[in-house]
Amino acid sequence: MHVMVLGAGITGVTTAWFLHEAGFEVSVIDRQFDAGQETSFANGGQISISHPEPWANPCAPLTALSWLGRVGAPLRFVPRAHADQWQWACRFLCECLPGRSRRNTAAIAALAVYSLRKLHHVREAAGIADAYDARAAGILHLFFDPRPFARARAKVEEFARFGIEVRPCTREQCVDAEPALAAVAPRLAGGLFAPNDESGDAMRFSMALARVLADCRVQFHHGMTIEQLLVDDGRFARAMATDSAGKRYAFTADACVVCLGSHGRELLRPLGENLPIFPLKGYSVTAPVIDHARAPTVSLTDEARRIVCSRLGERLRIAGTAELNDYNRDLDQARIRAMLDWAEDRLPGAIARDQVTPWAGLRPATPGGVPIIGRSAYPNIWYNTGHGPLGWTLACGSAAALVALMRGETPVLNFPFRRG
Ligand SMILES: Cc1cc2nc3c(=O)[nH]c(=O)nc-3n(C[C@H](O)[C@H](O)[C@H](O)COP(=O)(O)OP(=O)(O)OC[C@H]3O[C@@H](n4cnc5c(N)ncnc54)[C@H](O)[C@@H]3O)c2cc1C
């Protein structure tokens, strides 16, 4: 059976891997000229099992209000006359209800724990452990205010029930875990250390895995923009695509898997499928490390500023902010400056500020933060998409679970898979 994967971001290539491993004939179509060139290109790099609570949680509405109008605030809403954006925002608010947020947290946690095991499997089986600046040094969540720290500590037991290990740390223990924090130690209220979390470059991982797959005769059709999905007799029949010269191609397969990030919604709409995915823009800056003693090796999450920081080889990646601004990917200099100021404040002297590569990407976000994995209303169109802020963390588990579903198996996971 030939399965065509639509999209070669982190979710597409991992889907292709598990399909290939399960014995399917696999091809991949993408508009870029290599894998991992859109949202998976320069994300925060965190494999963040310890952060299963979605952005839609009971504290989110008030927190968002307190950030309104602040330059460099972690969240920004740019109102547009776009019904989808308002609909998404309303659904996001509904998902902040305590019951829904608890249910979504449990689903994300189960998938995240499963995904870490699958990531270990993929990198060993594909032989790419050294290809993506991987670091298994944990994630340290930093708190500069005692109240949010107390609230977060109260969740440690709940996370332990999900199989997620998180250890509360005093400010001294934070500095023991990551000596580069010495400069900010007096301001720290405390931290939560997740020893099993990891970090790495999602783009390099995607490219390395795609190379291995291409060597295993998985066919990659790069530079092809999919414009239409056609169905025949209620089943997916072909994807119509154009190359950069405007030439049209028809790609046929027995089934397809949609892994198109924020762009799947528009392609599926003419088929009557309404994917609740909207782009949530985020920024990152990547810069060479100039002082090793001042640059962290443990990945960090600054909970107050919603900024993450990962060491990727000789580089430091700092990422954050969420902006509801349609498909806009312009680089707002104020946002970039805010991230660089963060680095100067928290990790003074660690990076070369004059050699920064800024980037913006669109997280394919569902209102509740739970990705869409499973079958569409069409028997041979499948979804593995909508991973929002956690696509790198959840990619391997989502792909493994989807392929199990496609083989008629039931993944042993407390997760709301789509059943068509
Ligand atoms: C600032 C920022 C920081 C982040 N930090 C983290 C983090 O630390 N940890 C974490 O787990 N996650 C993080 N994420 C989220 C993560 O990066 C995403 O969830 C993930 O990259 C989504 O992967 P994807 O494969 O679904 O989408 P993409 O990587 O965007 O892949 C979709 C693919 O589809 C292709 N495509 C789209 N439309 C078409 C078309 N019409 N025709 C052909 N091809 C098409 C694109 O070229 C692309 O290759 C972050 C995101 C951002 C923006």
Side-chain angles (χ1 to χ4, degrees), residues 6-12 29-32 34-48 202 224-227 259-264 267 280-284 308 310 319-321 359-364 384-394:
L6 311 181
I10 187 66
T11 57
I29 309 187
D30 197 286
R31 61 185 171 195
Q32 301 290 343
D34 209 330
Q37 301 300 299
E38 295 208 358
T39 313
S40 310
F41 186 75
N43 69 20
Q46 291 192 330
I47 302 292
S48 182
M224 292 286 171
T225 301
I226 304 161
E227 268 152 11
C259 302
L260 294 164
S262 296
H263 303 276
L267 270 178
L280 258 190
K281 182 178 178 182
Y283 285 82
S284 75
V308 305
S310 295
T321 79
W359 172 84
L362 304 175
R363 302 174 184 92
N384 185 13
T385 189
H387 293 74
L390 286 176
W392 178 208
T393 304
L394 302 176

Side-chain angles (χ1 to χ4, degrees), residues 47-55 100-118 155-166 197 368-371 373 390 393-395 397-398 412-417:
I47 302 292
S48 182
I49 313 305
S50 59
H51 206 293
E53 190 172 48
W55 288 0
R100 288 189 190 234
S101 177
R102 262 198 309 277
R103 184 199 60 191
N104 294 337
T105 302
I108 295 168
L111 187 58
V113 170
Y114 177 69
S115 204
L116 185 63
R117 286 208 310 273
K118 294 296 171 184
K155 291 189 183 143
V156 166
E157 269 179 35
E158 183 194 348
F159 287 6
R161 282 197 294 278
F162 296 138
I164 298 171
E165 188 184 343
V166 179
D197 285 1
V370 179
I373 304 172
L390 286 176
T393 304
L394 302 176
S398 306
V412 195
L413 268 184
N414 171 22
F415 188 87
F417 293 109

Side-chain angles (χ1 to χ4, degrees), residues 133 135 204 287-290 292 311-316 350-351:
D133 293 323
R135 226 170 248 277
R204 290 190 179 175
V289 168
I290 48 169
H292 286 85
R311 179 73 170 267
L312 303 171
E314 293 301 302
R315 303 166 295 153
L316 209 60
I351 55 168

